[in-house]
Amino acid sequence: MTTVPRDPPEPPQRGMGSAGGMGGAGGAGGPEDESAPRPGPRRPAVAVIDDDTVIREGLALLLPDVDVLLTARHLGEFEALVPRAGPVDVVLVDLSLTGLEADGVPQGRRAVRRLREQGWRCLIYTGERRLLVLAGCLAEGARGIVHKTESTRALRDAIGKVADGGFVLSPAVTGLADAVSQIGRLPTLTERQQQVLSGRARGEPFREIAERLYITRKTAEEHMSTVAAKFADYLRTHSPADLERELGLAPGDLMR
Amino acid sequence: MLPLAATHPFSRLRPIRLRLIRLRPMRWRPIRWRPVPTTAAGAEFVLVIGMLGYRGVDLIQAAVTMPNALDRSPRPALCLFFTCILVIESAVLAVLLLRRGRYDDARVGILELVSGVGLLLATMTFTQPSDRFANWADWGFPVTLGTTVGMGVVFQRWSRVFGATALLAGAYLVSTGSVPSSSNSWSNAVTNTSSYFGFALVVRALAGYLRRLAADADLARRRVEQLAREAERERTRLLLHDQESVLRLAASDGLDPTITAAVRVQAASGATRIRAYLENQNAESGDLAACLRTAAAEFADLAPVLNVHLARGAVPAAQVGAITSAVRTLLHNVRRHARADTVTLHAQSTEGGGWEISVRDDGAGFDQFRQAEGFGLRVQVRAQLAAVGGHTEVRSSPGAGTSVRMWRGGAA
């Protein structure tokens, strides 16, 4: 990645999530979970762009150790609010925001591109499952993808990794990356990186991959982050049609 | 299905044909022969090839005996001229017939008949009378015998075949009429004349039967298509019938909350059925990815991740059933016991028709050393896959999810 994100100073302890009281409810995620990686030394500061009120207002409660600095219904609102919000580590953005195309406010991959041009680290948080759409966002510079069906723990992990400069692929996009690699289109992957990728594509958790390959969990995660960056590079130079052709799929197969 | 009659039965001949006509520089491209389709168009094409093959053999024989014929001919120049006319006429016929792919146009038939009669009469001008029986110095008889074969193909009505053959036979008798009569030459003339009729009628009978056979084959195919369409429509009708009432209820205002809840449940189940229906259409193709999609379609609530981009290989029907049922059982287990956040289905085709599938969840898992495998895992997964040569490996521990890997080597 060539984009250098704004390097924020220690963010102020503000935002709804800092109260922390409700996040542990139901054990959905949170700091008490031993298997989740400990967040970095500082709390990541997040901006949320989503047309869903529940997501905008609920995320701060679901992610008690994340500071939600601002919430916006669309990119225009985000751009208006962000100068006053303080340093943001990660912009969490939904892909399909209702009724925006008509108003000329970019969404989807165009929104991702604009966020990247402005220097933000962008994490897609979406219900979108069509692989080509997701791959397109990676090509535009998104740092990661998390589906809304995934656990809040997975979301929290992803925010932490992206805030630390890493990349996060959703399981389905990991599968796509594995397929592309298996047909020899990611030649810069090392054998180790390929092994980690294959494991992830099969849903294997980092802990087990690390045990199997006699490496630390952190090393496995770093391998995967590198793989994701290389895959994003591949996507920037290959059209959706290239992708389908190289995988031997029918046109439109990746849009299902 | 391909349109039956519209396509040229041997479309790969087109490049050759175009080269003939446009005189393009020939580029060598190996031709892969495949059987002529057993359709009406295919039958017509076979008749054309038979007809042209016959003519080709005639021309080769005429070419071989040409020096001898020229030697014996009282007018070698005329002999050469009419032989050239014959070759040109044959070439025009070949181009016409190969282009159309069929020989059933009466106009072409009449043209061929007229040239046959003309050439037969022309042979009188350049052959010695004594050479006009069973001698290649006079190619009139053998070549026009081929023309009668064509008459048997091109004309559908027996009377026309008979009439055309009579014309040729008449011309033949005229061309031999000036021969000094002897019992030998007369018997030759009669035998040859009856050959014209014999060939024409036998070929007409064969061509007629071949055409009826091909027409029946086409009819049968159309009927099968029609039945399949009807069956498909019936399947769709059954599927949509129930969903229509659910949609209607869902669309109405001010619904009682209890009914709304019921409608939701029905809608979810309907969506699953529709999904299964759509996926089943793929499953018929028998590829590995389709097996997994079919199985996963019923478990939308688990939102399984399907990483099956490299599962492109075809799988025999017996394995399709075993794989689909095994994956379905595993997903049932996940739904019932695992309380998983993420379920990942991964499948990949391997060398020589083998495959490797893994189903993994991040749910509760179980203690493999204390807890025996249930009926589903033991019978529906392990035993069923073993029956088609597959292997199963289960790994699980409490709190660490469950991973099931299934595979089968290729070319066993």
Side-chain angles (χ1 to χ4, degrees):
Chain A
M1 287 298 288
T2 50
T3 309
V4 178
R6 295 166 186 193
D7 197 15
E10 194 66 24
Q13 295 291 312
R14 61 177 168 136
M16 290 182 283
S18 55
M22 296 176 69
E32 78 274 17
D33 192 328
E34 282 303 315
S35 65
R38 288 282 167 190
R42 58 187 172 71
R43 298 159 59 88
V46 168
V48 180
I49 306 177
D50 200 306
D51 60 345
D52 188 333
T53 314
V54 176
I55 298 280
R56 283 201 311 277
E57 298 191 359
L59 268 184
L61 301 173
L62 289 170
L63 304 171
D65 55 347
V66 165
D67 287 326
V68 178
L69 294 191
L70 78 89
T71 62
R73 281 176 294 130
H74 51 75
L75 187 60
E77 201 173 287
F78 168 81
E79 286 170 346
L81 292 175
V82 76
R84 283 173 283 147
V88 168
D89 294 322
V90 179
V91 179
L92 213 58
V93 61
D94 191 5
L95 286 183
S96 45
L97 307 175
T98 39
L100 284 184
E101 286 298 338
D103 305 336
V105 181
Q107 61 161 322
R109 51 185 295 178
R110 292 194 296 129
V112 173
R113 186 190 311 152
R114 173 129 36 129
L115 286 167
R116 195 241 312 151
E117 285 164 0
Q118 293 169 357
W120 303 108
R121 284 173 180 163
C122 173
L123 177 62
I124 311 285
Y125 187 49
T126 185
E128 176 65 68
R129 290 203 170 265
R130 289 170 300 173
L131 279 174
L132 279 189
V133 176
L134 301 174
C137 290
L138 280 182
E140 292 295 358
R143 285 298 186 113
I145 296 160
V146 178
H147 288 298
K148 285 182 174 170
T149 51
E150 287 181 62
S151 64
T152 44
R153 191 177 71 203
L155 176 61
R156 172 63 188 84
D157 282 359
I159 291 174
K161 282 178 194 162
V162 172
D164 291 342
F167 285 83
V168 182
L169 299 185
S170 70
V173 178
T174 306
L176 185 64
D178 182 43
V180 169
S181 163
Q182 298 259 347
I183 57 166
R185 292 297 188 273
L186 292 177
T188 56
L189 291 196
T190 63
E191 194 185 341
R192 253 306 122 84
Q193 287 163 353
Q194 175 58 57
Q195 287 167 332
V196 173
L197 174 59
S198 291
R200 292 297 291 164
R202 287 163 172 75
E204 203 177 357
F206 282 117
R207 182 178 40 75
E208 283 181 34
I209 294 176
E211 279 170 20
R212 185 162 57 79
L213 300 178
Y214 304 106
I215 53 179
T216 64
R217 176 185 168 135
K218 191 165 169 45
T219 309
E221 287 182 3
E222 279 164 7
H223 278 316
M224 194 54 215
S225 192
T226 313
V227 168
K230 287 179 177 177
F231 184 51
D233 275 342
Y234 166 87
L235 291 173
R236 268 188 284 282
T237 52
H238 289 75
S239 72
D242 289 339
L243 199 58
E244 284 176 331
R245 196 173 44 245
E246 291 190 345
L247 287 173
L249 302 174
D253 265 10
L254 292 178
M255 287 299 277
R256 288 200 286 184
Chain B
M1 198 170 279
L2 289 168
L4 295 172
T7 47
H8 191 288
F10 240 23
S11 45
R12 72 172 166 284
L13 276 177
R14 285 204 169 150
I16 302 172
R17 198 193 70 215
L18 289 176
R19 279 180 203 139
L20 278 177
I21 293 171
R22 295 186 192 164
L23 293 175
R24 277 193 199 156
M26 282 260 240
R27 256 184 305 127
W28 169 252
R29 197 193 304 160
I31 296 174
R32 284 212 355 254
W33 295 103
R34 35 174 196 189
V36 180
T38 54
T39 58
E44 293 294 344
F45 184 76
V46 165
L47 289 172
V48 164
I49 289 298
M51 172 53 213
L52 293 178
Y54 195 118
R55 174 63 61 91
V57 171
D58 280 348
L59 291 181
I60 290 168
Q61 285 178 315
V64 170
T65 53
M66 205 61 212
N68 180 39
L70 289 175
D71 198 30
R72 298 176 67 92
S73 174
R75 295 190 184 114
L78 267 183
C79 176
L80 198 61
F81 172 73
F82 281 114
T83 308
C84 287
I85 295 284
L86 172 69
V87 171
I88 291 166
E89 194 263 347
S90 303
V92 169
L93 186 72
V95 169
L96 267 178
L97 295 191
L98 286 177
R99 190 170 197 176
R100 288 175 50 84
R102 53 201 307 134
Y103 187 28
D104 57 354
D105 186 340
R107 288 169 305 178
V108 184
I110 288 166
L111 200 71
E112 168 71 351
L113 175 63
V114 169
S115 32
V117 169
L119 286 170
L120 204 48
L121 295 176
T123 55
M124 290 163 68
T125 62
F126 62 82
T127 52
Q128 289 181 29
S130 57
D131 280 344
R132 288 180 198 162
F133 295 104
N135 187 324
W136 270 95
D138 176 5
W139 42 251
F141 172 69
V143 168
T144 48
L145 204 55
T147 310
T148 58
V149 168
M151 298 299 105
V153 172
V154 67
F155 294 122
Q156 316 277 319
R157 281 198 210 157
W158 288 92
S159 57
R160 287 191 182 173
V161 177
F162 190 81
T165 311
L167 269 176
L168 280 167
Y172 172 70
L173 285 176
V174 169
S175 75
T176 55
S178 54
V179 180
S181 82
S182 72
S183 66
N184 187 28
S185 56
W186 267 112
S187 76
N188 264 336
V190 170
T191 316
N192 287 351
T193 309
S194 60
S195 296
Y196 279 119
F197 289 99
F199 268 64
L201 301 182
V202 164
V203 168
R204 166 63 189 84
L206 279 177
Y209 181 68
L210 194 60
R211 281 182 171 131
R212 277 202 299 130
L213 216 54
D216 277 354
D218 280 1
L219 191 69
R221 279 193 197 93
R222 273 198 295 275
R223 185 79 187 125
V224 167
E225 263 181 84
Q226 189 190 348
L227 286 175
R229 268 201 305 274
E230 274 167 22
E232 186 61 39
R233 213 174 296 137
E234 184 61 18
R235 244 177 106 205
T236 320
R237 206 179 60 78
L238 282 173
L239 178 74
L240 294 182
H241 180 261
D242 299 344
Q243 311 318 325
E244 188 264 352
S245 56
V246 175
L247 287 175
R248 186 167 295 282
L249 263 179
S252 46
D253 286 333
L255 217 54
D256 184 273
T258 341
I259 299 176
T260 313
V263 167
R264 275 213 190 102
V265 173
Q266 282 182 330
S269 127
T272 308
R273 280 180 62 196
I274 291 172
R275 185 67 196 243
Y277 169 80
L278 293 175
E279 298 290 350
N280 252 331
Q281 291 184 324
N282 293 337
E284 282 162 17
S285 70
D287 76 86
L288 186 56
C291 291
L292 268 80
R293 287 207 180 91
T294 308
E298 295 165 29
F299 298 87
D301 53 321
L302 299 175
V305 175
L306 271 170
N307 289 339
V308 295
H309 311 294
L310 295 178
R312 308 288 303 160
V315 179
Q319 293 177 33
V320 167
I323 292 171
T324 314
S325 148
V327 172
R328 202 177 270 147
T329 303
L330 291 172
L331 290 175
H332 267 301
N333 282 351
V334 173
R335 183 189 267 163
R336 215 174 314 151
H337 308 296
R339 299 187 304 279
D341 286 326
T342 309
V343 187
T344 309
L345 267 65
H346 183 280
Q348 194 167 340
S349 304
T350 54
E351 296 274 305
W355 39 260
E356 191 237 311
I357 301 167
S358 83
V359 178
R360 183 182 263 277
D361 68 72
D362 61 352
F366 63 96
D367 190 338
Q368 282 184 281
F369 300 101
R370 287 164 180 251
Q371 207 174 333
E373 286 179 0
F375 174 80
L377 202 49
R378 195 163 33 87
V379 178
Q380 283 174 289
V381 180
R382 278 189 197 280
Q384 276 203 34
L385 285 180
V388 295
H391 308 272
T392 309
E393 180 189 85
V394 180
R395 289 179 62 195
S396 185
S397 57
T402 303
S403 139
V404 180
R405 181 169 162 260
M406 297 158 281
W407 73 98
R408 184 183 192 280

